[in-house]
Amino acid sequence: MTDPGAEDLRTVERLAADGDIGKLAKKLVRAATLSGLRNPSVAEQVAAVAKRPEDERLRLVTAWADRCRRGTDTEEVQDLLLMLADLVGRGLGGELLADMRIARLEALGRRHSYWYAERLDVLAEAELASGRALSPAVVAVFRRTAVGTYRDPAVVALAKKLTEPVLNAGEEWADRAIAGLPEPAEAWQRLLRFSTTATAARPSAQWETAGRALIEEIGADAVRETVLPWIALVGRPRTLPLERAEYEPDVNAAYDPYNANALRGLAWLLSILPPHQDTARGLGVLVETSLRKVAGLGPRNPKVANAAVLALSRIEGEAALAELARLASRVVFKGTLKQIDAALETRAAAMGLSREEIEELAVPGYGLTGVGRRAHAHGELTVLGSKAVLSWRNAAGKAVKAVPAAVKRDHAEELKELKAAAKDIDKMLSALGERLDRQFLARRTWTYTAWRERYLDHPLVGTLARRLLWTVDGQACGYADGELRTLTDDPVPAGAEVELWHPVGREPAAIVAWRDWLERHAITQPFKQAHREVYLLTDAERNTRTYSNRFAAHILRQHQFHALAAARGWQNKLRLMVDDSYPPATRELPQWGLRAEFWVEGVGDDYGEDTTESGSYLRIGTDQVRFYPIGAPENWAHAGGGGYEQGWRGAPAEGLPIAEIPALVLSEVLRDADLFVGVASVGNDPTWQDGGPRGHFRDYWHSYGFGELSQSAETRRDLLTRLIPRLAIASRCTIDGRFLHVKGELHTYKIHLGSGNILMTPNDAYLCIVPKGGGTDPAADGGYLPFEGDRTLALILSKAMMLADDTGITDRTIISQL
């Protein structure tokens, strides 16, 4: 049988020998177009022609140059002509197509990377052979391609020759590093180049030895003081934007993969330095920045995040441990969270403590000398609610709003440290609040002495713990006027065991009494505790026996649900519009030996209208909540629905009877489901009165936006019933059923207490008001609120205050509807 490749080679050799340059030129272009330059047969033909005498090759290259300059071919064929000319004409000394090659490479510099089969490395090699350097943008493209998925040997070999600039241009942090290397500049160049070799999961002993030598040459303090400002710039918008192809991830929001290796190396080098608070702070920020989501990609760069976590785990001292503990409450990306957990478990084992204890002991005091207070020479840092506030005094001791000029001038370092401490405190308070809110299901108890040290009297944690209710040896108590007190304000003596108070199992009268006590002492809790919703077993759930349908048949924004689920300790996978199966959202409760499942499925069938560019569903539908033993096999369902089943058995596994689930577990799990629906439902979107895409969700939007109240909305109504009489607009407001009625000058408005959507007289016309920014803090107007964190409550109050003075509205979008 004849070998087609051998036959083609003989044809090429015959045409070359006959001097038929025209046919030979067309033959090679046709072969390269059909099969590509990487095809072995085509490569063999080109190599054979490249060995022909110079005069023959020059005629062939001239033919291709003439054709190329006519500009009648597609861009793909033009590229092939350029590459064939460079491959066959190598060493001829002429540059018939140099200007077109340069232009093609400059155009390439606007791309992220390229498909290796394009053989654009041939053009780069020709440029280098001509003695011209490639531009930084073009160098970056070849480096990114070299570290990509396919790692073509020719591209990798080319990238190794491209030693300048030391980092890829186009990211602000890298541009700053390239442009402003301090002395000794050569040593810094070596350190940066060395950092790009961090391509493994962790540094080897040999790598560390080499890194220590470089640090020693420059100086540890100089490395820290130079590298940390670079890291602070990571994640900023690209300085050289890249073209984004259709259906391609947002490459301008992602990390440059070549520079990402350098970031990993710099993180490892920072872990070699002597421990320093700024180092821990910078690495913690790098973790969070690297895990921010990018459209079509997911987390920006988990490898960089993992490198920063590894660096923190290797740094001794309180600051690094505190960052790990904070990140444990903030990070939801499974791979990085697993690494954080492992680091904390290792520290705990080394100290002979439990994981919970190491997290408690890891919380720093941030220089606070009392609970929530830190005096400084020019004012005070005070923790107010969940924020650190800096106050200032001038030279005369008078309170001033702005930082005094003398402080900026003479105490710049102290000012910088104070502002950094305030930011750190804000981050830590948020993480601590989330951790405490999850303690209800942790079955955690403390000895009285340890609890006072780690919670009540801790300079930072105390600002939260003193706003919560506790039980000491079974006696419920709160902190007021300098000590623990009962409902009757009697002091509570020291005891043996402390627990976090929860309303489940309490008499309604006792719960209301504690709410009154908090109000009497003007205590705003960091999250709902005394006002926490309690979800009791219903007759419907007794009838269904093994599942709850209480939060079924809702339409949620999938990505918002996914983020909320992760924040509340649930495991969930984003559903793609593909022929695949997924497990439900699950929350494992090891202290109870249980696993909760919330069944969801993708909604929609139009790729593009019902999905993101990357194919994940925009919306999901909700179904049952079930409970299983923690080790039971999971149920699975098709991405687009069709019912859950347990693998090949073809039916869902039988859940545990709802009536046998402990009341606290049932209440907290259903509260999570209520939160997911209350926050992520499309019914909350004021712009969806038309029902969304093709009106599919019109009925759902109306039923949710103005329908019966959920348990959390009922709690909101009860609270507003107490709050409204104290507001300046009280005479214009009444609560009736599901609505807060607000009497304006132009209309009377009905604000739904669940969704915040608005109807107005006459005829219940819909009023669309789109909230701006992150919402308004309802306590900002000076009114007392018993807890923080209810954004819908904030929206309802801000809308009520605006609509009560509807003649003073200036927003034209709203005015046009009135």
Side-chain angles (χ1 to χ4, degrees):
M1 185 174 179
T2 303
D3 180 0
E7 184 63 31
D8 286 338
L9 180 59
R10 284 193 291 271
T11 300
V12 165
E13 290 174 338
R14 177 177 54 78
L15 290 172
D18 293 345
D20 196 341
I21 298 301
K23 286 187 177 181
L24 178 59
K26 290 179 181 179
K27 163 70 176 171
L28 288 174
V29 171
R30 188 182 306 112
T33 303
L34 292 174
S35 303
L37 287 173
R38 290 194 181 277
N39 179 275
S41 175
V42 175
E44 191 175 19
Q45 294 169 49
V46 173
V49 173
K51 296 176 182 177
R52 302 295 298 180
E54 287 190 8
D55 62 323
E56 291 182 18
R57 290 191 290 133
L58 182 58
R59 290 167 58 201
L60 189 57
V61 170
T62 302
W64 284 328
D66 290 342
R67 178 176 172 178
C68 198
R69 291 194 183 282
R70 286 199 297 271
T72 56
D73 292 297
T74 64
E75 183 177 305
E76 179 186 7
V77 174
Q78 289 265 10
D79 285 348
L80 287 172
L81 291 169
L82 288 171
M83 287 182 273
L84 283 168
D86 285 334
L87 287 168
V88 173
R90 191 167 293 170
L92 291 178
E95 293 192 85
L96 295 175
L97 293 173
D99 58 332
M100 297 189 73
R101 182 199 310 133
I102 293 169
R104 180 66 185 91
L105 287 172
E106 287 307 308
L108 178 65
R110 295 190 289 272
R111 291 168 59 179
H112 177 272
S113 53
Y114 69 91
W115 173 239
Y116 78 100
E118 294 180 68
R119 286 306 310 268
L120 295 172
D121 56 288
V122 171
L123 304 184
E125 293 283 11
E127 272 300 282
L128 295 176
S130 72
R132 288 186 294 270
L134 303 179
S135 71
V138 176
V139 168
V141 174
F142 286 112
R143 284 175 171 170
R144 288 192 289 265
T145 304
V147 299
T149 304
Y150 295 97
R151 297 182 61 81
D152 177 65
V155 182
V156 172
L158 170 63
K160 287 181 178 179
K161 301 176 186 178
L162 305 176
T163 58
E164 295 297 334
V166 65
L167 298 173
N168 278 355
E171 292 183 324
E172 189 170 341
W173 82 268
D175 293 348
R176 181 77 61 88
I178 295 168
L181 287 180
E183 294 296 332
E186 289 185 4
W188 274 106
Q189 282 274 354
R190 290 196 300 274
L191 183 140
L192 281 177
R193 188 164 286 112
F194 175 73
S195 71
T196 65
T197 65
T199 56
R202 57 181 57 240
S204 65
Q206 183 180 7
W207 195 96
E208 279 196 53
T209 300
R212 289 181 187 279
L214 287 166
I215 290 171
E216 187 175 346
E217 183 178 357
I218 295 171
D221 289 344
V223 170
R224 183 183 66 253
E225 292 165 6
T226 303
V227 171
L228 288 179
W230 295 342
I231 286 180
L233 299 175
V234 171
R236 291 196 179 184
R238 283 188 59 86
T239 56
L240 294 176
L242 301 171
E243 294 173 350
R244 182 183 178 189
E246 189 177 11
Y247 302 119
E248 185 179 41
D250 187 357
V251 292
N252 287 302
Y255 287 1
D256 184 302
Y258 183 83
N259 289 349
N261 285 338
L263 285 172
R264 296 167 74 188
L266 291 173
W268 293 347
L269 291 172
L270 287 172
S271 72
I272 296 174
L273 305 178
H276 195 283
Q277 181 173 309
D278 289 348
T279 302
R281 181 184 295 136
L283 289 169
V285 171
L286 183 60
V287 172
E288 293 181 291
T289 303
S290 301
L291 293 179
R292 287 195 185 120
K293 298 291 183 67
V294 172
L297 180 67
R300 271 176 169 167
N301 200 298
K303 288 183 178 179
V304 173
N306 292 345
V309 169
L310 177 63
L312 284 168
S313 71
R314 292 154 59 96
I315 298 174
E316 297 295 329
E318 178 186 272
L321 183 57
E323 277 299 315
L324 287 170
R326 182 184 70 81
L327 291 169
S329 296
R330 304 293 293 172
V331 168
V332 297
F333 183 70
K334 190 181 295 185
T336 304
L337 182 58
K338 183 178 180 180
Q339 192 163 325
I340 293 169
D341 288 341
L344 288 171
E345 293 286 359
T346 300
R347 290 281 183 99
M351 299 173 69
L353 300 171
S354 68
R355 163 65 186 274
E356 292 81 7
E357 288 176 309
I358 197 70
E359 287 194 32
E360 291 167 354
L361 293 172
V363 182
Y366 296 104
L368 300 170
T369 53
V371 174
R373 294 187 177 277
R374 171 180 170 179
H376 57 88
H378 313 285
E380 190 174 48
L381 186 157
T382 309
V383 177
L384 298 177
S386 296
K387 296 284 290 183
V389 178
L390 286 168
S391 57
W392 304 95
R393 293 190 303 272
N394 60 20
K398 182 181 178 181
V400 292
K401 292 183 178 179
V403 182
V407 174
K408 293 180 179 178
R409 183 184 65 246
D410 303 329
H411 303 279
E413 282 302 313
E414 182 183 355
L415 176 61
K416 177 183 175 183
E417 195 278 327
L418 278 169
K419 288 183 175 181
K423 288 183 179 180
D424 288 348
I425 287 171
D426 289 349
K427 290 180 182 179
M428 183 59 81
L429 284 171
S430 177
L432 288 171
E434 291 179 7
R435 194 173 83 204
L436 279 165
D437 196 13
R438 292 202 291 259
Q439 290 298 307
F440 292 114
L441 288 178
R443 306 185 99 169
R444 187 95 165 86
T445 62
W446 298 266
T447 64
Y448 183 83
T449 302
W451 171 75
R452 288 217 59 134
E453 177 188 347
R454 300 173 192 174
Y455 285 86
L456 199 67
D457 297 331
H458 188 281
L460 183 61
V461 187
T463 65
L464 301 174
R466 292 184 178 190
R467 295 189 285 139
L468 293 172
L469 301 177
W470 304 85
T471 63
V472 176
D473 292 342
Q475 171 68 61
C477 57
Y479 188 90
D481 300 324
E483 56 186 317
L484 292 168
R485 297 182 182 277
T486 65
L487 269 175
T488 56
D489 282 339
D490 295 321
V492 175
E497 186 177 81
V498 180
E499 289 183 281
L500 193 58
W501 183 93
H502 193 283
V504 161
R506 314 280 176 185
E507 290 295 329
I511 296 172
V512 171
W514 275 114
R515 293 176 181 177
D516 292 338
W517 185 90
L518 290 168
E519 185 176 338
R520 186 167 73 248
H521 290 285
I523 295 173
T524 297
Q525 296 199 291
F527 47 82
K528 288 182 184 179
Q529 187 189 26
H531 289 78
R532 202 171 188 86
E533 299 83 5
V534 173
Y535 299 78
L536 302 175
L537 190 67
T538 64
D539 288 340
E541 287 156 350
R542 291 188 181 91
N543 290 334
T544 56
R545 204 175 73 81
T546 59
Y547 60 88
S548 169
N549 270 331
R550 202 181 304 195
F551 299 103
H554 287 279
I555 308 298
L556 312 185
R557 291 177 288 268
Q558 179 178 208
H559 294 78
Q560 191 171 16
F561 164 76
H562 183 70
L564 283 168
R568 293 296 302 167
W570 291 70
Q571 297 293 328
N572 180 62
K573 289 186 176 181
L574 286 173
R575 282 152 175 76
L576 301 174
M577 190 181 282
V578 293
D579 185 17
D580 199 2
S581 296
Y582 292 82
T586 61
R587 182 175 179 182
E588 293 194 344
L589 306 166
Q591 294 85 354
W592 302 85
L594 296 172
R595 182 185 75 238
E597 292 187 356
F598 190 21
W599 290 7
V600 296
E601 60 186 35
V603 171
D605 55 13
D606 190 309
Y607 197 98
E609 185 176 82
D610 295 316
T611 67
T612 63
E613 288 184 359
S614 58
S616 58
Y617 282 100
L618 289 170
R619 292 165 288 275
I620 55 172
T622 64
D623 200 347
Q624 303 171 9
V625 173
R626 290 187 174 222
F627 293 87
Y628 294 89
I630 197 167
E634 282 186 335
N635 295 299
W636 292 73
H638 191 273
Y644 277 86
E645 57 187 35
Q646 193 182 96
W648 54 269
R649 298 185 183 184
E654 183 77 0
L656 294 171
I658 293 284
E660 295 179 9
I661 303 302
L664 176 60
V665 174
L666 178 67
S667 184
E668 284 298 299
V669 168
L670 293 181
R671 184 176 184 272
D672 279 352
D674 194 354
L675 172 72
F676 302 152
V677 171
V679 174
S681 171
V682 299
N684 291 321
D685 190 335
T687 66
W688 267 48
Q689 68 268 29
D690 62 352
R694 291 179 284 171
H696 284 329
F697 309 106
R698 185 179 291 109
D699 291 343
Y700 172 75
W701 186 87
H702 280 280
S703 67
Y704 180 87
F706 301 106
E708 294 301 318
L709 299 182
S710 67
Q711 190 76 29
S712 59
E714 293 275 7
T715 299
R716 193 175 298 127
R717 181 179 63 186
D718 294 343
L719 178 58
L720 284 168
T721 301
R722 298 167 66 101
L723 286 178
I724 292 297
R726 305 173 196 164
L727 300 178
I729 61 171
S731 62
R732 291 180 172 270
C733 298
T734 56
I735 293 177
D736 183 13
R738 304 188 299 270
F739 297 91
L740 169 61
H741 293 247
V742 181
K743 189 176 187 310
E745 295 297 329
L746 304 176
H747 302 276
T748 295
Y749 308 89
K750 295 162 59 178
I751 307 175
H752 190 261
L753 300 176
S755 65
N757 291 335
I758 307 168
L759 300 174
M760 61 181 177
T761 58
N763 304 322
D764 280 349
Y766 177 67
L767 175 60
C768 178
I769 298 179
V770 180
K772 298 178 180 178
T776 304
D777 180 0
D781 297 303
Y784 163 76
L785 284 182
F787 54 81
E788 300 169 355
D790 189 339
R791 184 173 180 270
T792 302
L793 175 63
L795 289 173
I796 290 171
L797 286 173
S798 63
K799 288 178 178 180
M801 292 174 184
M802 177 177 63
L803 295 172
D805 183 25
D806 53 6
T807 56
I809 294 174
T810 58
D811 188 305
R812 292 185 179 181
T813 304
I814 299 174
I815 292 173
S816 66
Q817 302 174 72
L818 298 178

